[in-house]
């Protein structure tokens, strides 16, 4: 144990671990996000409001039981830095950490108590290969520990590779995700409650397309949605 602590301290001096939210050097007991950033995270508390903005935006577009987002996302903020590091800077464990945090909150509040399985929004194989991982899978891993709900990593697949949604208008986003998903092992699920997980909710186009795909494959299932951030 002494040698472990010694080498860890030495490595920390040579290669200090930085906060994914603000970039400062982390203390030994901190994990990915410093205490200051954790304290200032802008929680939405959408999980306490049945008529929250996520639900308002998907109303009439997808048959969703309930939807929520953990944090507000604004430009040049801690949350934007966290999402950027998660998606583009090879720090998937940020998703794992945030997912577990939110999962514990949701479990304590009894939200999604009837959910049977978590399903991450998939990346197209070519994009996953380029990035090296799917950030939504890491979010689901954290949520799974926090909520004690299993993850199905293969139920939903992306069959069409389209350009990124980042710079598209609302209408272009909706057109960009038409028929891009497919469901697999369709005999494995009948009337379960499925929670689809994405990283950021912007217009909801991707999630609505995923919900539609799942409902077509499993008409008797209930579907809910969750994201870490709400733009």
């Amino acid at each position: 144990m002494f040698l472990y602590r010694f080498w860890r301290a030495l490595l920390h001096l040579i290669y200090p671990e930085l906060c994914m939210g603000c970039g400062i050097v982390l203390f030994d007991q901190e994990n990915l996000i410093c205490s200051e950033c954790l304290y200032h995270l802008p929680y939405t508390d959408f999980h306490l409001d049945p008529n929250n903005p996520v639900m308002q935006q998907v109303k009439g577009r997808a048959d969703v039981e309930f939807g929520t987002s953990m944090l507000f996302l604004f430009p040049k903020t801690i949350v934007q830095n966290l999402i950027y590091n998660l998606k583009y800077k090879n720090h998937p464990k940020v998703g794992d950490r945030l997912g577990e945090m939110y999962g514990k909150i949701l479990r304590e509040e009894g939200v999604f108590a009837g959910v049977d399985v978590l399903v991450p929004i998939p990346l197209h194989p070519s994009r996953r290969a380029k990035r090296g991982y799917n950030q939504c899978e890491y979010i689901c891993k954290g949520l799974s520990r926090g909520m004690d709900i299993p993850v199905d990593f293969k139920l939903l697949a992306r069959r069409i590779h389209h350009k990124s949604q980042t710079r598209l208008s609302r209408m272009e986003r909706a057109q960009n995700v038409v028929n891009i998903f497919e469901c697999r092992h369709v005999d494995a699920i009948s009337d379960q409650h499925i929670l689809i997980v994405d990283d950021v909710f912007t217009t909801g186009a991707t999630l609505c397309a995923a919900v539609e795909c799942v409902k077509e494959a499993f008409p008797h299932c209930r579907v809910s949605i969750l994201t870490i951030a709400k733009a």
Side-chain angles (χ1 to χ4, degrees), residues 59-108:
K59 187 176 181 179
R61 300 166 60 198
D63 184 8
V64 173
E65 289 280 316
F66 188 63
T68 186
S69 294
M70 178 183 181
L71 305 168
F72 288 110
L73 172 59
F74 299 110
K76 300 180 181 179
T77 61
I78 295 168
V79 178
Q80 185 182 59
N81 292 338
L82 291 173
I83 296 298
Y84 184 79
N85 278 306
L86 166 63
K87 295 181 69 172
Y88 305 115
K89 300 297 286 184
N90 197 31
H91 292 290
K93 289 187 177 181
V94 173
D96 187 287
R97 177 80 195 282
L98 292 173
E100 184 172 14
M101 288 169 56
Y102 200 30
K104 289 179 178 178
I105 293 172
L106 295 171
R107 189 176 184 184
E108 289 174 2

Coordinates of all heavy atoms in Angstrom, one line a residue, residues 59-108:
K59 N -43.1 16.3 -26.7 CA -44.6 16.1 -26.7 C -45.1 16.2 -28.1 O -44.8 17.2 -28.9 CB -45.3 17.2 -25.8 CG -46.8 17.0 -25.7 CD -47.4 18.0 -24.7 CE -48.9 17.8 -24.6 NZ -49.4 18.8 -23.6
G60 N -45.9 15.2 -28.5 CA -46.4 15.2 -29.9 C -45.4 14.7 -30.9 O -45.8 14.4 -32.1
R61 N -44.2 14.4 -30.6 CA -43.2 14.0 -31.5 C -42.8 12.5 -31.2 O -42.3 11.8 -32.2 CB -41.9 14.8 -31.4 CG -42.2 16.3 -31.8 CD -41.0 17.2 -31.3 NE -39.8 16.7 -32.0 CZ -38.5 17.1 -31.6 NH1 -38.4 17.8 -30.5 NH2 -37.5 16.7 -32.2
A62 N -42.9 12.1 -30.0 CA -42.5 10.7 -29.6 C -43.3 10.3 -28.4 O -43.7 11.1 -27.6 CB -41.0 10.6 -29.3
D63 N -43.6 9.0 -28.4 CA -44.4 8.4 -27.3 C -43.5 8.1 -26.1 O -43.0 7.0 -26.0 CB -45.1 7.1 -27.8 CG -46.0 6.5 -26.7 OD1 -46.2 7.1 -25.7 OD2 -46.5 5.4 -27.0
V64 N -43.3 9.1 -25.3 CA -42.3 9.0 -24.2 C -43.0 9.0 -22.8 O -43.9 9.9 -22.6 CB -41.3 10.2 -24.3 CG1 -40.4 10.2 -23.0 CG2 -40.4 10.1 -25.5
E65 N -42.7 8.0 -22.0 CA -43.2 8.0 -20.7 C -42.7 9.2 -19.8 O -43.5 9.8 -19.2 CB -42.8 6.7 -20.0 CG -43.5 5.4 -20.5 CD -44.9 5.3 -20.0 OE1 -45.1 5.4 -18.8 OE2 -45.8 4.9 -20.8
F66 N -41.4 9.3 -19.8 CA -40.8 10.4 -19.0 C -39.5 10.7 -19.6 O -38.8 9.9 -20.1 CB -40.7 10.1 -17.6 CG -40.3 11.2 -16.7 CD1 -41.1 12.4 -16.6 CD2 -39.1 11.2 -16.0 CE1 -40.7 13.5 -15.8 CE2 -38.7 12.3 -15.2 CZ -39.5 13.4 -15.1
G67 N -39.1 12.0 -19.5 CA -37.7 12.4 -20.0 C -37.1 13.4 -19.0 O -37.8 14.2 -18.4
T68 N -35.8 13.4 -18.9 CA -35.1 14.3 -18.0 C -33.7 14.5 -18.5 O -33.1 13.7 -19.3 CB -35.1 13.8 -16.6 OG1 -34.6 14.8 -15.7 CG2 -34.3 12.5 -16.4
S69 N -33.1 15.6 -18.0 CA -31.7 15.9 -18.2 C -31.1 16.3 -16.9 O -31.7 16.9 -16.0 CB -31.5 17.0 -19.2 OG -31.9 16.7 -20.5
M70 N -29.8 16.0 -16.7 CA -29.1 16.2 -15.4 C -28.7 17.7 -15.2 O -29.0 18.3 -14.2 CB -27.9 15.3 -15.3 CG -27.1 15.5 -14.0 SD -25.6 14.4 -14.1 CE -24.8 14.8 -12.5
L71 N -28.1 18.2 -16.2 CA -27.4 19.5 -16.1 C -27.8 20.5 -17.2 O -28.1 20.0 -18.4 CB -25.9 19.4 -16.1 CG -25.3 18.4 -15.1 CD1 -23.8 18.2 -15.4 CD2 -25.4 19.0 -13.7
F72 N -27.8 21.8 -17.0 CA -28.0 22.8 -18.0 C -26.6 22.9 -18.7 O -25.6 23.0 -18.1 CB -28.4 24.1 -17.4 CG -29.8 24.2 -16.9 CD1 -30.1 24.2 -15.6 CD2 -30.9 24.1 -17.8 CE1 -31.4 24.3 -15.1 CE2 -32.2 24.2 -17.3 CZ -32.4 24.3 -16.0
L73 N -26.7 23.1 -20.0 CA -25.5 23.3 -20.9 C -25.5 24.7 -21.5 O -26.4 25.0 -22.3 CB -25.4 22.2 -21.9 CG -24.3 22.3 -23.0 CD1 -22.9 22.4 -22.4 CD2 -24.4 21.2 -24.0
F74 N -24.6 25.5 -21.1 CA -24.4 26.8 -21.7 C -23.0 26.9 -22.2 O -22.1 26.3 -21.7 CB -24.7 27.9 -20.7 CG -26.1 27.9 -20.1 CD1 -26.3 27.5 -18.8 CD2 -27.2 28.2 -20.9 CE1 -27.6 27.5 -18.2 CE2 -28.4 28.2 -20.4 CZ -28.7 27.8 -19.1
P75 N -22.8 27.8 -23.2 CA -21.4 28.0 -23.8 C -20.4 28.5 -22.7 O -20.8 29.3 -21.8 CB -21.6 29.1 -24.9 CG -23.1 29.0 -25.2 CD -23.8 28.6 -23.9
K76 N -19.2 28.1 -22.8 CA -18.1 28.5 -22.0 C -18.3 28.3 -20.5 O -18.1 29.2 -19.7 CB -17.8 30.0 -22.3 CG -17.4 30.3 -23.7 CD -17.1 31.8 -23.9 CE -16.7 32.0 -25.4 NZ -16.5 33.5 -25.7
T77 N -18.8 27.1 -20.2 CA -19.1 26.8 -18.8 C -18.5 25.5 -18.4 O -17.9 24.8 -19.3 CB -20.6 26.7 -18.6 OG1 -21.1 25.6 -19.4 CG2 -21.3 28.0 -18.9
I78 N -18.5 25.1 -17.2 CA -18.0 23.8 -16.7 C -18.6 22.7 -17.4 O -17.9 21.8 -17.9 CB -18.3 23.7 -15.2 CG1 -17.6 24.7 -14.3 CG2 -18.0 22.3 -14.7 CD1 -18.1 24.8 -12.9
V79 N -19.9 22.7 -17.6 CA -20.6 21.6 -18.3 C -20.2 21.5 -19.7 O -20.0 20.3 -20.2 CB -22.2 21.8 -18.2 CG1 -22.9 20.6 -18.9 CG2 -22.6 21.8 -16.7
Q80 N -20.0 22.6 -20.4 CA -19.5 22.5 -21.8 C -18.1 21.8 -21.8 O -17.9 21.0 -22.7 CB -19.4 23.9 -22.4 CG -19.0 23.8 -23.9 CD -18.9 25.2 -24.6 OE1 -18.1 26.0 -24.1 NE2 -19.7 25.4 -25.6
N81 N -17.3 22.2 -20.9 CA -16.0 21.6 -20.8 C -16.0 20.1 -20.5 O -15.3 19.3 -21.1 CB -15.1 22.3 -19.7 CG -14.8 23.7 -20.1 OD1 -14.8 24.1 -21.2 ND2 -14.5 24.5 -19.1
L82 N -16.9 19.7 -19.6 CA -17.1 18.3 -19.3 C -17.6 17.5 -20.5 O -17.0 16.4 -20.8 CB -18.1 18.1 -18.2 CG -17.7 18.6 -16.8 CD1 -18.9 18.6 -15.8 CD2 -16.5 17.8 -16.3
I83 N -18.6 18.0 -21.2 CA -19.1 17.3 -22.4 C -18.0 17.3 -23.5 O -17.9 16.3 -24.2 CB -20.3 18.0 -22.9 CG1 -21.5 17.9 -21.9 CG2 -20.8 17.4 -24.3 CD1 -21.9 16.5 -21.6
Y84 N -17.3 18.3 -23.7 CA -16.2 18.4 -24.7 C -15.1 17.3 -24.4 O -14.7 16.6 -25.3 CB -15.6 19.8 -24.8 CG -14.6 19.9 -25.9 CD1 -14.9 20.1 -27.2 CD2 -13.2 19.9 -25.6 CE1 -14.0 20.2 -28.2 CE2 -12.2 20.0 -26.6 CZ -12.6 20.2 -27.9 OH -11.7 20.3 -28.9
N85 N -14.7 17.3 -23.1 CA -13.7 16.3 -22.7 C -14.3 14.9 -22.9 O -13.5 13.9 -23.3 CB -13.3 16.5 -21.3 CG -12.2 17.6 -21.2 OD1 -11.2 17.5 -21.9 ND2 -12.4 18.6 -20.4
L86 N -15.5 14.7 -22.6 CA -16.2 13.4 -22.7 C -16.2 12.9 -24.2 O -15.9 11.8 -24.5 CB -17.6 13.5 -22.2 CG -18.6 12.3 -22.5 CD1 -18.0 11.0 -21.9 CD2 -20.0 12.6 -22.0
K87 N -16.6 13.8 -25.1 CA -16.8 13.4 -26.5 C -15.6 13.5 -27.4 O -15.4 12.6 -28.3 CB -17.9 14.2 -27.1 CG -19.3 14.1 -26.4 CD -20.4 14.9 -27.1 CE -20.7 14.5 -28.5 NZ -21.9 15.2 -29.0
Y88 N -14.8 14.5 -27.1 CA -13.7 14.8 -28.1 C -12.3 14.7 -27.6 O -11.3 14.7 -28.4 CB -13.9 16.2 -28.7 CG -15.3 16.3 -29.3 CD1 -16.2 17.2 -28.7 CD2 -15.7 15.6 -30.4 CE1 -17.5 17.4 -29.3 CE2 -17.0 15.7 -30.9 CZ -17.9 16.7 -30.4 OH -19.2 16.8 -30.9
K89 N -12.1 14.5 -26.3 CA -10.7 14.6 -25.8 C -10.3 13.3 -25.1 O -9.4 13.2 -24.3 CB -10.6 15.7 -24.8 CG -10.8 17.1 -25.4 CD -9.8 17.4 -26.5 CE -8.5 17.8 -25.9 NZ -7.5 18.2 -27.0
N90 N -11.0 12.2 -25.5 CA -10.7 10.8 -25.0 C -10.8 10.7 -23.5 O -9.9 10.1 -22.8 CB -9.3 10.5 -25.5 CG -9.0 9.0 -25.4 OD1 -9.9 8.2 -25.5 ND2 -7.8 8.6 -25.2
H91 N -11.8 11.2 -22.9 CA -12.1 11.1 -21.5 C -13.5 10.5 -21.2 O -14.3 11.1 -20.6 CB -11.9 12.4 -20.8 CG -10.5 13.0 -20.7 ND1 -9.5 12.4 -20.0 CD2 -10.0 14.0 -21.4 CE1 -8.4 13.1 -20.2 NE2 -8.6 14.0 -21.0
P92 N -13.7 9.2 -21.6 CA -15.0 8.6 -21.5 C -15.4 8.5 -20.0 O -16.6 8.4 -19.8 CB -14.9 7.3 -22.2 CG -13.4 7.0 -22.1 CD -12.7 8.3 -22.3
K93 N -14.5 8.4 -19.1 CA -14.8 8.2 -17.7 C -15.6 9.4 -17.1 O -16.2 9.2 -16.1 CB -13.6 7.9 -16.9 CG -13.0 6.5 -17.2 CD -11.9 6.1 -16.3 CE -11.4 4.7 -16.6 NZ -10.3 4.3 -15.6
V94 N -15.5 10.5 -17.8 CA -16.3 11.6 -17.4 C -17.8 11.3 -17.5 O -18.6 11.6 -16.6 CB -16.1 12.9 -18.3 CG1 -17.1 14.0 -17.9 CG2 -14.7 13.4 -18.1
G95 N -18.2 10.6 -18.5 CA -19.6 10.1 -18.7 C -19.9 9.1 -17.6 O -21.0 9.1 -17.0
D96 N -19.0 8.2 -17.3 CA -19.2 7.2 -16.2 C -19.4 7.9 -14.9 O -20.4 7.5 -14.1 CB -18.0 6.3 -16.2 CG -18.2 5.1 -15.2 OD1 -18.1 5.3 -14.0 OD2 -18.4 4.0 -15.7
R97 N -18.6 8.9 -14.6 CA -18.7 9.6 -13.3 C -20.1 10.3 -13.2 O -20.8 10.3 -12.2 CB -17.6 10.6 -13.2 CG -17.6 11.4 -11.9 CD -17.1 10.7 -10.7 NE -17.4 11.3 -9.5 CZ -16.8 12.4 -8.9 NH1 -15.8 13.0 -9.6 NH2 -17.2 12.9 -7.8
L98 N -20.4 11.1 -14.2 CA -21.6 11.9 -14.2 C -22.9 10.9 -14.2 O -23.8 11.2 -13.5 CB -21.7 12.8 -15.4 CG -20.7 14.0 -15.4 CD1 -20.8 14.7 -16.7 CD2 -21.0 14.9 -14.3
G99 N -22.8 9.8 -14.9 CA -23.9 8.9 -15.0 C -24.1 8.3 -13.6 O -25.3 8.2 -13.2
E100 N -23.1 7.9 -12.9 CA -23.2 7.3 -11.6 C -23.8 8.4 -10.6 O -24.7 8.1 -9.8 CB -21.9 6.8 -11.0 CG -22.1 6.1 -9.7 CD -20.8 5.4 -9.2 OE1 -19.7 5.7 -9.8 OE2 -20.9 4.6 -8.3
M101 N -23.3 9.6 -10.7 CA -23.9 10.7 -9.8 C -25.4 10.9 -10.1 O -26.2 10.9 -9.1 CB -23.1 12.0 -10.1 CG -21.7 12.0 -9.6 SD -20.8 13.5 -10.3 CE -21.8 14.8 -9.8
Y102 N -25.8 10.9 -11.3 CA -27.2 11.2 -11.6 C -28.0 9.9 -11.3 O -29.1 10.0 -10.8 CB -27.4 11.5 -13.1 CG -28.7 12.2 -13.4 CD1 -29.3 13.0 -12.5 CD2 -29.3 12.1 -14.7 CE1 -30.5 13.7 -12.8 CE2 -30.5 12.7 -15.0 CZ -31.1 13.5 -14.0 OH -32.3 14.2 -14.3
G103 N -27.4 8.8 -11.5 CA -28.2 7.5 -11.2 C -28.5 7.4 -9.7 O -29.6 7.0 -9.3
K104 N -27.6 7.9 -8.8 CA -27.8 7.8 -7.4 C -28.9 8.8 -7.0 O -29.8 8.5 -6.2 CB -26.5 8.1 -6.7 CG -25.5 7.0 -6.7 CD -24.2 7.4 -6.0 CE -23.2 6.3 -6.0 NZ -21.9 6.6 -5.3
I105 N -28.9 10.0 -7.6 CA -30.0 11.0 -7.4 C -31.3 10.4 -7.8 O -32.3 10.5 -7.0 CB -29.7 12.3 -8.1 CG1 -28.4 13.0 -7.6 CG2 -30.9 13.2 -8.1 CD1 -27.9 14.2 -8.4
L106 N -31.4 9.9 -9.0 CA -32.7 9.3 -9.5 C -33.2 8.2 -8.6 O -34.4 8.1 -8.3 CB -32.5 8.9 -10.9 CG -32.2 10.0 -11.9 CD1 -31.8 9.4 -13.3 CD2 -33.3 11.0 -12.1
R107 N -32.3 7.3 -8.2 CA -32.7 6.2 -7.3 C -33.2 6.7 -6.0 O -34.2 6.2 -5.5 CB -31.5 5.3 -7.1 CG -31.9 3.9 -6.5 CD -30.7 3.0 -6.4 NE -31.1 1.7 -5.8 CZ -30.3 0.7 -5.6 NH1 -29.0 0.8 -5.9 NH2 -30.7 -0.4 -5.1
E108 N -32.5 7.6 -5.4 CA -32.9 8.2 -4.1 C -34.3 8.8 -4.2 O -35.1 8.8 -3.3 CB -31.9 9.2 -3.6 CG -30.6 8.6 -3.1 CD -29.6 9.6 -2.7 OE1 -29.9 10.8 -2.8 OE2 -28.4 9.2 -2.4

